[in-house]
Amino acid sequence: MRVGLFVTCLVDLYRPVIGFAAIRLLEQAGCAVAVPEAQTCCGQPGYNSGDKASAQKLARQVIAAFDGFDYVVAPSGSCGGMIKTHYPELLADDPAWALRANALAAKTYELTQFLRDVLNWDAIAARFDGKVTYHDSCSSLRELKVKGQPRALLAKVDGLALAELPNGEPCCGFGGTFCVKFPDISNKMVEDKVANIAATGAATVLAADMGCLLNIAGKLKREGSQVQARHVAEVLAGMTDTPAIGEEG
Amino acid sequence: MQSTSHLFKDNVARALVDPNLQQALVHVRTKFIDKRQDAINALPEFEALRDAARDLKNHVLSRLDQYLVQFEENVARHGGQVHWAQTPAEARQTILEICRRANARTVTKGKTMVGEEIGINDHLAANGIEPIETDLGEYIIQLRGETPSHVIAPAVHLTKAQVEETFRKVHTELDPARNLEEPETLLNEARHRLRGRFIVADVGITGANFLIADSGTTTIVTNEGNGDLTQTLPRIHIVLAGIEKIVPSIKDAGLLLRVLARSATGQEMSAYTTFSTGPRRPGDLDGPDEFHVVLLDNGRSKLLGTEFEEMLRCIRCGACLNHCPIYHAVGGHAYGWVYAGPIGAITTPALIGIENATPLPEASSLCGRCESVCPVRIPIPKMLRHWREEAFERRLTGTCARWALALWAALATRPALYRLATGVGARVLRLLAGRRGRFATLPFASAWTKHRDLPAPQGRTFMAQYRSRK
Ligand code: SF4
C-alpha cells in the first residue's frame, strides 16, 4: 500500500520529528511511505483569509503532487480536514479539477484516523511513563469526527495513563491567523485551555495538530508551567527523546 | 440602530477589561450548554429533527414568495392586515401610523429583535409614544438605556448586583431590606410594576417566532407569559417579523418548536407558546380589536439564491452564541449591532453591508462549534469564509494582511523557493533561540508573543532532513 505523507507546513518548519514519527508508525503498520517534493502548504492561510484564488492554486498543487498514491495521510486534523472537506468545495466550479479534488479527498486521512479506521491497526510498540491529557483539535473533532482513534492508540502505549481534559470541546484559540489578528480574544481562549490542562494534573499534553500545540505550549511556557506539549505521533512512535515543544535543549 | 461593528476591535478591548461583563459571561459558558446537552441526551431523535428542520426551512425558502402571499391572504381572511416593509424606515412609519390612528400614548412590547433592527423604541419615543418592554430582560436593559446582548437572553451581560442596583434606582418605593437577588423576586417586582402598564397600553407590539402560512397565524414563545398580555390586553396588536419567519402549517411550527426550545434553553417546550390568528371575533372573551402584521425585508430577499441564503434558516435560538468562544470572551455588545455571536457575524454584513462590518467575519477561529449545535444546520464557518472572500475581493481587508498573504502565496506555490526560504528561516530562528527553545519576544511576532512564548523550530526542516536521509 503506497501512502503519501502530507507533512504540513508547520511540521516541516517547526518540528520535523513529527513527520518522522508519522513515517515510522505508517511503516510499522505495513505501508510504503513516500514524501512528494512538490508539497508546501495545504492552502488554509489563503482559504481562511478570503484569498480563494491562492487557495485554489495551492489545492491544485497538492492534488497534482499526490496523484498516484493509494492514500494520503497528514499528521494534522486541520490540514487533513482542509484536503478532505474543503478541496472539493474550493474547486467545485472547475470541472476537471473538481473530480481530482474529490478523488484526493476520498483517500486522505488524518494520521490516527488512518491507522485505526483504514488499517485497523494498533500494534503500538512504545513506552511513555506518566499521566498525559489529550487536546482534540476543532478540525479533528468536528470536521473529521476523530475522537476515539487517538485514544485507542494511546491506550496501547506502555506506562501511559490518559486523563481526559475537562471541557475539552472549545477551541484552544489558535485558529491560524486568528490568533495574531485577535490576540487578546485568542489569549482568553488559550488561558482557559491551559487552566483545564493544569486541572488534570497531567505532566504532558498531547494533540494531533501542530497549530494548537504551538499555541498551547507557548502559553504553558509563558505561564511558567512544567507541563510539556508534544504531538501524539511522537509518543505513539516512541520518539520522545527530543525536547518537548518550546522546551530547552 | 446605529452600528459600531466596524469598531469591533475597540469594543473588544473594552469588553475584555469590563469586570462586570466578564463576571456575567462566566454564566453563559456553562449554564446554557449543559442544559441543552441534557435535553438532547433525553431525545434520541434530535439529530433527525435537525435534518427535518433544515429541510423544512430550505423548502420554505425555495417558495418564500408563495408562502408569504398565502400568509397575507389568510391574515386578511381572519380580519387582520399585513403590511410590507422593504426598509426599517418603512416599518417604523407603518407602526407609527397605526399607533397614531389609535391615539396611542403607551405601547407595551414583547421581545422582538426585528424591533431592535428597525429601532422602533427610539422612533416611538421621539414621536411622543412611550414604549414599555415587558420581557424581564428587555425591561431591565430598557431601564438602563441599553440594547440586548443576546437573542434570547437580552440582559445576560449584567451581573445580579447590577440588576439589583438598577431596580433600586427606578423602583424607589422598594423596601431596602427586600431581597432582590433571586430572579424570581425580580420577576415579581417587574410584574407588579408592569401589570398596571399592560392595562393602560393602547397598542401591543410583539415579534414572531413563526408565521403560519395556511392559517395566517403568528406564534411567539416566552417563559414569562408577558407576550400573552402584550398581545391580548391592548386594543391593537402589531406583530413585527422578518419575512423568513414563515412556515407552511402548524405542524411545521411544531417541528421547529421542538428544536427551538431544546437548542435555546434546554427546555422541552418554552413555558408559553402563543398562537394569534386575527383580531377578536364576536363572542371571543378577549383579544385585540385590530391585528396587524408588519413584515420586514431589509435585505433578506436579496440573499435568496446566493451563497448566503442558508443563513435565512435561522430560528434565533441563540445556541451558536452560547457555544461560541468569541462570544464567551467579549459578550454581545462588542459585535456592535443588533445580532451578536456567530449568527450576528454573518447576518450583520448582510443587513448593513460588509464594508460596515468587516471585522466581524474575521473574528472567528472557525472552530465550527456553532455549526455543530445549530438546530437548522447553518454552515456558519462557511458563510464566515464567504464574507472574508467578499471583503478580500473588495479590498476591505488590511493592507498588511494582504501583503503577508501575497508573500505567502508567492512562496508556497513555488516549492523549490519555498524550501530555500523555510530552510533558512528554520535555522535562523533556531540559532536566535539558542538552547532556550523558545522566544519571549520577537520582532514581527509581537501579536503572538504578547500573550505567549513562541516555540523555536527544531533546526533543519523536515524536507531537508528527509532528503539527506534518503
Ligand atoms: S444560526 Fe442556528 S444556532 Fe445560531 S441562532 Fe440561528 S438557528 Fe440558532
Side-chain angles (χ1 to χ4, degrees):
Chain A
M1 184 183 298
R2 291 194 63 229
V3 172
L5 182 71
F6 185 75
V7 180
T8 81
C9 58
L10 288 179
V11 167
D12 178 42
L13 183 72
Y14 268 97
R15 210 160 163 80
V17 65
I18 298 167
F20 292 110
I23 293 177
R24 180 181 289 181
L25 286 166
L26 290 166
E27 287 179 348
Q28 284 174 347
C31 304
V33 185
V35 184
E37 267 284 316
Q39 57 175 307
T40 57
C41 162
C42 66
Q44 277 190 87
Y47 186 56
N48 292 338
S49 303
D51 185 357
K52 200 171 169 182
S54 301
Q56 285 169 331
K57 255 195 229 169
L58 259 301
R60 291 194 189 97
Q61 180 173 297
V62 172
I63 292 169
F66 286 91
D67 238 1
F69 285 101
D70 299 322
Y71 292 100
V72 175
V73 173
S76 157
S78 171
C79 312
M82 175 70 183
I83 298 174
K84 210 167 175 55
T85 62
H86 298 295
Y87 276 13
E89 251 173 58
L90 194 55
L91 296 170
D93 297 333
D94 182 342
W97 284 93
L99 279 176
R100 297 178 70 183
N102 287 330
L104 178 64
K107 64 181 186 184
T108 299
Y109 294 88
E110 181 274 331
L111 177 65
T112 63
Q113 182 188 35
F114 181 71
L115 294 173
R116 288 301 306 135
D117 297 357
V118 178
L119 302 180
N120 193 23
W121 179 87
D122 64 0
I124 297 289
R127 177 161 200 100
F128 191 83
D129 288 306
K131 200 196 234 184
V132 307
T133 188
Y134 190 82
H135 164 69
D136 294 291
S137 74
C138 299
S139 40
S140 283
L141 190 63
R142 284 178 276 272
E143 216 160 70
L144 299 175
K145 312 270 181 276
V146 170
K147 185 161 186 189
Q149 297 89 327
R151 289 167 175 78
L153 293 167
L154 285 171
K156 298 282 175 175
V157 175
D158 288 334
L160 182 147
L162 180 71
E164 281 295 339
L165 195 56
N167 193 20
E169 290 216 350
C171 174
C172 71
F174 176 66
T177 53
F178 166 79
C179 67
V180 286
K181 272 190 189 149
F182 298 93
D184 300 336
I185 301 179
S186 168
N187 179 47
K188 278 219 83 153
M189 293 159 72
V190 73
E191 265 177 10
D192 286 353
K193 192 55 79 181
V194 298
N196 284 323
I197 291 170
T200 63
T204 307
V205 55
L206 303 176
D209 272 275
M210 195 54 196
C212 314
L213 283 165
L214 284 173
N215 182 38
I216 291 171
K219 190 67 191 177
L220 286 168
K221 295 306 114 183
R222 175 62 56 94
E223 290 191 348
S225 166
Q226 294 304 308
V227 178
Q228 303 208 330
R230 287 185 186 277
H231 193 282
V232 66
E234 300 171 36
V235 170
L236 294 176
M239 293 170 68
T240 50
D241 39 359
T242 49
I245 299 168
E247 296 294 341
E248 291 172 22
Chain B
M1 178 179 164
Q2 201 64 25
S3 147
T4 63
S5 299
H6 58 295
L7 303 174
F8 180 75
K9 286 206 164 185
D10 299 339
N11 299 345
V12 164
R14 260 196 313 275
L16 286 172
V17 296
D18 179 339
N20 285 319
L21 173 64
Q22 291 300 327
Q23 191 191 329
L25 285 172
V26 172
H27 219 49
V28 185
R29 294 196 208 182
T30 50
K31 192 184 76 173
F32 286 114
I33 295 179
D34 295 345
K35 284 192 177 163
R36 173 187 174 274
Q37 197 55 53
D38 291 345
I40 285 163
N41 292 345
L43 187 73
E45 68 267 37
F46 188 72
E47 292 305 309
L49 289 179
R50 287 175 71 192
D51 289 339
R54 172 200 56 205
D55 295 347
L56 166 68
K57 278 295 214 170
N58 280 347
H59 165 79
V60 169
L61 292 174
S62 72
R63 272 152 233 233
L64 191 57
D65 50 343
Q66 293 171 25
Y67 283 123
L68 283 167
V69 169
Q70 190 190 8
F71 175 75
E72 179 179 32
E73 285 166 7
N74 285 317
V75 169
R77 193 160 58 85
H78 290 289
Q81 195 183 349
V82 167
H83 308 261
W84 303 96
Q86 194 95 51
T87 61
E90 280 175 36
R92 285 193 296 264
Q93 194 52 33
T94 304
I95 292 171
L96 183 63
E97 275 166 18
I98 297 170
C99 293
R100 279 205 171 128
R101 231 182 311 120
N103 286 321
R105 306 230 327 268
T106 54
V107 168
T108 44
K109 285 187 65 223
K111 210 177 113 38
T112 149
M113 292 306 283
V114 175
E116 299 295 323
E117 202 178 315
I118 68 169
I120 190 63
N121 284 5
D122 287 350
H123 191 65
L124 290 175
N127 285 281
I129 299 168
E130 187 194 3
I132 300 158
E133 295 290 353
T134 64
D135 171 275
L136 178 60
E138 293 280 356
Y139 177 72
I140 293 165
I141 59 174
Q142 189 183 27
L143 294 180
R144 296 173 60 89
E146 294 175 339
T147 55
S149 63
H150 187 292
V151 271
I152 63 155
V156 78
H157 57 284
L158 299 172
T159 61
K160 276 187 201 163
Q162 285 176 295
V163 173
E164 180 176 353
E165 186 197 311
T166 305
F167 262 72
R168 295 220 185 268
K169 216 180 273 170
V170 177
H171 293 221
T172 43
E173 75 288 2
L174 283 177
D175 175 358
R178 185 155 168 199
N179 175 320
L180 284 178
E181 292 232 324
E182 291 312 311
E184 285 72 34
T185 48
L186 285 173
L187 186 57
N188 286 337
E189 186 52 43
R191 274 194 174 133
H192 174 73
R193 178 57 78 103
L194 283 168
R195 282 278 140 89
R197 317 301 298 266
F198 278 124
I199 307 288
V200 300
D202 309 289
V203 175
I205 299 178
T206 66
N209 291 90
F210 309 109
L211 308 167
I212 302 172
D214 73 357
S215 59
T217 303
T218 69
T219 312
I220 57 170
V221 298
T222 71
N223 276 322
E224 294 155 14
N226 60 306
D228 295 28
L229 295 179
T230 306
Q231 65 187 49
T232 46
L233 290 180
R235 281 179 291 125
I236 296 173
H237 177 201
I238 303 175
V239 179
L240 174 59
I243 53 170
E244 81 285 11
K245 287 280 179 282
I246 208 105
V247 294
S249 70
I250 194 163
K251 185 175 102 284
D252 303 311
L255 166 65
L256 294 180
L257 284 167
R258 293 183 76 193
V259 292
L260 172 63
R262 287 179 171 88
S263 302
T265 50
Q267 293 165 286
E268 287 178 13
M269 279 289 268
S270 305
Y272 299 86
T273 302
T274 313
F275 296 90
S276 320
T277 315
R280 152 201 233 147
R281 295 162 301 184
D284 279 353
L285 288 179
D286 53 20
D289 298 335
E290 290 178 33
F291 178 73
H292 300 271
V293 184
V294 178
L295 292 182
L296 179 71
D297 183 349
N298 195 23
R300 289 165 172 78
S301 60
K302 272 205 311 239
L303 301 174
L304 290 168
T306 71
E307 65 249 74
F308 297 114
E309 177 177 310
E310 290 176 277
M311 77 171 73
L312 295 174
R313 292 205 296 261
C314 177
I315 55 173
R316 306 278 188 260
C317 71
C320 57
L321 284 71
N322 300 338
H323 290 77
C324 177
I326 317 299
Y327 184 90
H328 292 165
V330 302
H333 288 145
Y335 290 79
W337 198 58
V338 178
Y339 301 103
I343 186 62
I346 59 174
T347 305
T348 308
L351 300 191
I352 69 170
I354 180 68
E355 65 282 5
N356 298 314
T358 320
L360 298 191
E362 287 182 354
S364 165
S365 64
L366 301 175
C367 78
R369 217 175 167 200
C370 47
E371 180 176 4
S372 77
V373 297
C374 175
V376 286
R377 299 196 190 281
I378 298 175
I380 296 173
K382 186 169 135 190
M383 315 244 128
L384 291 167
R385 269 195 209 95
H386 280 321
W387 281 124
R388 293 179 188 187
E389 280 162 17
E390 189 142 330
F392 186 83
E393 271 161 32
R394 292 177 52 189
R395 302 183 162 273
L396 299 168
T397 23
T399 332
C400 216
R402 299 181 71 89
W403 274 100
L405 267 177
L407 180 66
W408 161 82
L411 282 175
T413 49
R414 293 174 181 79
L417 192 63
Y418 183 87
R419 295 276 102 81
L420 256 171
T422 49
V424 172
R427 282 183 193 225
V428 168
L429 285 174
R430 178 74 221 175
L431 275 174
L432 285 175
R435 290 181 49 78
R436 264 168 311 153
R438 58 179 185 266
F439 300 94
T441 58
L442 193 69
F444 305 113
S446 58
W448 178 284
T449 54
K450 181 174 177 193
H451 298 294
R452 21 174 148 46
D453 288 359
L454 181 67
Q458 285 186 311
R460 293 174 68 206
T461 64
F462 174 86
M463 285 309 218
Q465 294 187 42
Y466 182 75
R467 218 180 306 164
S468 51
R469 279 192 198 190
K470 261 203 307 192

mmCIF file of all heavy atoms in Angstrom, chain B residues 41 44 56 78 83 90 114 118 122 162 187 218 222 230-231 273 304 348-349 400 410 431 462:
data_model
loop_
_atom_site.group_PDB
_atom_site.id
_atom_site.type_symbol
_atom_site.label_atom_id
_atom_site.label_comp_id
_atom_site.label_asym_id
_atom_site.label_seq_id
_atom_site.Cartn_x
_atom_site.Cartn_y
_atom_site.Cartn_z
ATOM 1 N N ASN B 41 -29.718 14.756 25.169
ATOM 2 C CA ASN B 41 -29.475 13.370 25.578
ATOM 3 C C ASN B 41 -30.792 12.638 25.816
ATOM 4 O O ASN B 41 -30.876 11.423 25.651
ATOM 5 C CB ASN B 41 -28.627 13.332 26.850
ATOM 6 C CG ASN B 41 -27.214 13.836 26.588
ATOM 7 O OD1 ASN B 41 -26.791 13.954 25.437
ATOM 8 N ND2 ASN B 41 -26.485 14.151 27.644
ATOM 9 N N PRO B 44 -33.447 10.945 21.652
ATOM 10 C CA PRO B 44 -32.560 10.275 20.688
ATOM 11 C C PRO B 44 -32.766 10.749 19.248
ATOM 12 O O PRO B 44 -31.816 10.739 18.469
ATOM 13 C CB PRO B 44 -32.948 8.799 20.815
ATOM 14 C CG PRO B 44 -33.714 8.685 22.082
ATOM 15 C CD PRO B 44 -34.274 10.021 22.417
ATOM 16 N N LEU B 56 -37.082 21.549 6.056
ATOM 17 C CA LEU B 56 -38.300 22.360 6.056
ATOM 18 C C LEU B 56 -37.979 23.803 5.694
ATOM 19 O O LEU B 56 -38.623 24.410 4.825
ATOM 20 C CB LEU B 56 -38.953 22.297 7.448
ATOM 21 C CG LEU B 56 -40.031 23.346 7.700
ATOM 22 C CD1 LEU B 56 -41.247 23.066 6.826
ATOM 23 C CD2 LEU B 56 -40.424 23.385 9.168
ATOM 24 N N HIS B 78 -58.990 36.403 8.207
ATOM 25 C CA HIS B 78 -59.381 36.438 9.625
ATOM 26 C C HIS B 78 -59.536 37.858 10.140
ATOM 27 O O HIS B 78 -59.614 38.078 11.353
ATOM 28 C CB HIS B 78 -58.354 35.690 10.468
ATOM 29 C CG HIS B 78 -58.385 34.200 10.246
ATOM 30 N ND1 HIS B 78 -59.409 33.413 10.689
ATOM 31 C CD2 HIS B 78 -57.536 33.380 9.589
ATOM 32 C CE1 HIS B 78 -59.182 32.156 10.333
ATOM 33 N NE2 HIS B 78 -58.047 32.105 9.640
ATOM 34 N N HIS B 83 -48.715 44.298 6.429
ATOM 35 C CA HIS B 83 -48.047 45.479 5.868
ATOM 36 C C HIS B 83 -46.652 45.064 5.450
ATOM 37 O O HIS B 83 -45.919 44.477 6.240
ATOM 38 C CB HIS B 83 -47.937 46.588 6.919
ATOM 39 C CG HIS B 83 -49.231 46.930 7.583
ATOM 40 N ND1 HIS B 83 -50.011 48.000 7.224
ATOM 41 C CD2 HIS B 83 -49.895 46.313 8.595
ATOM 42 C CE1 HIS B 83 -51.093 48.042 7.987
ATOM 43 N NE2 HIS B 83 -51.051 47.022 8.837
ATOM 44 N N GLU B 90 -39.531 52.187 6.478
ATOM 45 C CA GLU B 90 -40.929 51.891 6.133
ATOM 46 C C GLU B 90 -41.641 51.191 7.274
ATOM 47 O O GLU B 90 -42.799 51.477 7.578
ATOM 48 C CB GLU B 90 -40.973 50.999 4.879
ATOM 49 C CG GLU B 90 -40.788 51.761 3.581
ATOM 50 C CD GLU B 90 -40.729 50.801 2.383
ATOM 51 O OE1 GLU B 90 -41.442 49.773 2.393
ATOM 52 O OE2 GLU B 90 -39.957 51.100 1.459
ATOM 53 N N VAL B 114 -36.368 42.109 15.643
ATOM 54 C CA VAL B 114 -36.612 42.949 14.471
ATOM 55 C C VAL B 114 -36.939 44.365 14.930
ATOM 56 O O VAL B 114 -36.600 45.346 14.268
ATOM 57 C CB VAL B 114 -37.723 42.346 13.580
ATOM 58 C CG1 VAL B 114 -38.045 43.279 12.429
ATOM 59 C CG2 VAL B 114 -37.279 40.992 13.027
ATOM 60 N N ILE B 118 -35.055 47.733 13.528
ATOM 61 C CA ILE B 118 -35.619 48.959 12.944
ATOM 62 C C ILE B 118 -35.587 50.124 13.939
ATOM 63 O O ILE B 118 -36.014 51.227 13.601
ATOM 64 C CB ILE B 118 -37.075 48.735 12.439
ATOM 65 C CG1 ILE B 118 -38.038 48.502 13.593
ATOM 66 C CG2 ILE B 118 -37.130 47.585 11.435
ATOM 67 C CD1 ILE B 118 -39.493 48.537 13.177
ATOM 68 N N ASP B 122 -36.863 53.960 19.935
ATOM 69 C CA ASP B 122 -36.444 55.352 19.825
ATOM 70 C C ASP B 122 -37.405 56.137 18.948
ATOM 71 O O ASP B 122 -37.725 57.289 19.226
ATOM 72 C CB ASP B 122 -35.032 55.442 19.226
ATOM 73 C CG ASP B 122 -33.984 54.996 20.227
ATOM 74 O OD1 ASP B 122 -34.355 54.810 21.411
ATOM 75 O OD2 ASP B 122 -32.819 54.806 19.828
ATOM 76 N N GLN B 162 -25.705 44.273 39.402
ATOM 77 C CA GLN B 162 -26.066 45.400 38.529
ATOM 78 C C GLN B 162 -27.575 45.494 38.355
ATOM 79 O O GLN B 162 -28.142 46.577 38.327
ATOM 80 C CB GLN B 162 -25.409 45.225 37.154
ATOM 81 C CG GLN B 162 -23.928 45.529 37.130
ATOM 82 C CD GLN B 162 -23.342 45.240 35.754
ATOM 83 O OE1 GLN B 162 -23.309 44.100 35.321
ATOM 84 N NE2 GLN B 162 -22.895 46.270 35.064
ATOM 85 N N LEU B 187 -38.498 39.176 39.059
ATOM 86 C CA LEU B 187 -39.594 38.995 38.117
ATOM 87 C C LEU B 187 -40.890 39.480 38.752
ATOM 88 O O LEU B 187 -41.680 40.194 38.123
ATOM 89 C CB LEU B 187 -39.686 37.509 37.727
ATOM 90 C CG LEU B 187 -40.686 37.157 36.638
ATOM 91 C CD1 LEU B 187 -40.394 37.933 35.366
ATOM 92 C CD2 LEU B 187 -40.619 35.659 36.343
ATOM 93 N N THR B 218 -49.739 33.883 13.794
ATOM 94 C CA THR B 218 -48.383 34.181 14.239
ATOM 95 C C THR B 218 -48.156 33.486 15.580
ATOM 96 O O THR B 218 -49.092 33.253 16.332
ATOM 97 C CB THR B 218 -48.145 35.688 14.408
ATOM 98 O OG1 THR B 218 -48.904 36.157 15.519
ATOM 99 C CG2 THR B 218 -48.547 36.448 13.154
ATOM 100 N N THR B 222 -42.501 32.457 24.973
ATOM 101 C CA THR B 222 -41.864 33.200 26.064
ATOM 102 C C THR B 222 -41.822 32.288 27.285
ATOM 103 O O THR B 222 -42.458 31.240 27.309
ATOM 104 C CB THR B 222 -42.642 34.477 26.472
ATOM 105 O OG1 THR B 222 -43.849 34.100 27.139
ATOM 106 C CG2 THR B 222 -42.969 35.344 25.278
ATOM 107 N N THR B 230 -49.192 41.146 26.346
ATOM 108 C CA THR B 230 -48.896 42.206 25.383
ATOM 109 C C THR B 230 -49.827 42.122 24.180
ATOM 110 O O THR B 230 -50.201 43.130 23.602
ATOM 111 C CB THR B 230 -47.435 42.086 24.899
ATOM 112 O OG1 THR B 230 -46.590 42.058 26.037
ATOM 113 C CG2 THR B 230 -47.049 43.225 23.998
ATOM 114 N N GLN B 231 -50.198 40.920 23.833
ATOM 115 C CA GLN B 231 -50.977 40.828 22.600
ATOM 116 C C GLN B 231 -52.468 40.675 22.837
ATOM 117 O O GLN B 231 -53.248 40.809 21.899
ATOM 118 C CB GLN B 231 -50.452 39.708 21.707
ATOM 119 C CG GLN B 231 -50.588 38.322 22.261
ATOM 120 C CD GLN B 231 -49.867 37.345 21.356
ATOM 121 O OE1 GLN B 231 -48.728 37.568 20.984
ATOM 122 N NE2 GLN B 231 -50.531 36.278 20.976
ATOM 123 N N THR B 273 -46.367 29.161 24.739
ATOM 124 C CA THR B 273 -46.348 29.234 23.280
ATOM 125 C C THR B 273 -47.708 29.779 22.873
ATOM 126 O O THR B 273 -48.728 29.182 23.186
ATOM 127 C CB THR B 273 -46.133 27.847 22.660
ATOM 128 O OG1 THR B 273 -44.902 27.311 23.157
ATOM 129 C CG2 THR B 273 -46.056 27.926 21.140
ATOM 130 N N LEU B 304 -31.559 35.484 -1.095
ATOM 131 C CA LEU B 304 -32.094 34.273 -1.734
ATOM 132 C C LEU B 304 -31.309 33.983 -3.005
ATOM 133 O O LEU B 304 -31.000 34.885 -3.783
ATOM 134 C CB LEU B 304 -33.569 34.468 -2.083
ATOM 135 C CG LEU B 304 -34.522 34.530 -0.888
ATOM 136 C CD1 LEU B 304 -35.899 35.009 -1.344
ATOM 137 C CD2 LEU B 304 -34.618 33.176 -0.203
ATOM 138 N N THR B 348 -24.958 40.452 10.217
ATOM 139 C CA THR B 348 -24.705 41.895 10.203
ATOM 140 C C THR B 348 -24.150 42.371 8.856
ATOM 141 O O THR B 348 -24.666 43.339 8.291
ATOM 142 C CB THR B 348 -23.792 42.287 11.388
ATOM 143 O OG1 THR B 348 -24.369 41.755 12.580
ATOM 144 C CG2 THR B 348 -23.646 43.780 11.512
ATOM 145 N N PRO B 349 -23.121 41.698 8.303
ATOM 146 C CA PRO B 349 -22.647 42.152 6.984
ATOM 147 C C PRO B 349 -23.737 42.086 5.920
ATOM 148 O O PRO B 349 -23.760 42.903 4.998
ATOM 149 C CB PRO B 349 -21.520 41.168 6.641
ATOM 150 C CG PRO B 349 -21.114 40.559 7.922
ATOM 151 C CD PRO B 349 -22.324 40.566 8.810
ATOM 152 N N CYS B 400 -1.631 45.298 5.320
ATOM 153 C CA CYS B 400 -0.588 44.464 5.883
ATOM 154 C C CYS B 400 -0.913 42.978 5.677
ATOM 155 O O CYS B 400 -0.075 42.198 5.217
ATOM 156 C CB CYS B 400 -0.503 44.773 7.371
ATOM 157 S SG CYS B 400 1.142 44.711 8.006
ATOM 158 N N ALA B 410 3.117 33.552 -2.925
ATOM 159 C CA ALA B 410 4.218 33.528 -3.894
ATOM 160 C C ALA B 410 5.210 32.428 -3.549
ATOM 161 O O ALA B 410 5.719 31.721 -4.424
ATOM 162 C CB ALA B 410 4.910 34.888 -3.927
ATOM 163 N N LEU B 431 18.921 29.332 15.660
ATOM 164 C CA LEU B 431 20.131 29.987 16.155
ATOM 165 C C LEU B 431 19.788 31.098 17.141
ATOM 166 O O LEU B 431 20.398 31.221 18.206
ATOM 167 C CB LEU B 431 20.914 30.584 14.976
ATOM 168 C CG LEU B 431 21.855 29.616 14.264
ATOM 169 C CD1 LEU B 431 22.457 30.288 13.030
ATOM 170 C CD2 LEU B 431 22.965 29.163 15.223
ATOM 171 N N PHE B 462 11.933 19.517 7.974
ATOM 172 C CA PHE B 462 11.683 18.103 7.708
ATOM 173 C C PHE B 462 12.177 17.730 6.321
ATOM 174 O O PHE B 462 12.855 16.718 6.122
ATOM 175 C CB PHE B 462 10.183 17.793 7.819
ATOM 176 C CG PHE B 462 9.852 16.382 7.407
ATOM 177 C CD1 PHE B 462 9.928 15.343 8.320
ATOM 178 C CD2 PHE B 462 9.501 16.076 6.083
ATOM 179 C CE1 PHE B 462 9.661 14.032 7.940
ATOM 180 C CE2 PHE B 462 9.239 14.777 5.699
ATOM 181 C CZ PHE B 462 9.311 13.752 6.625
#
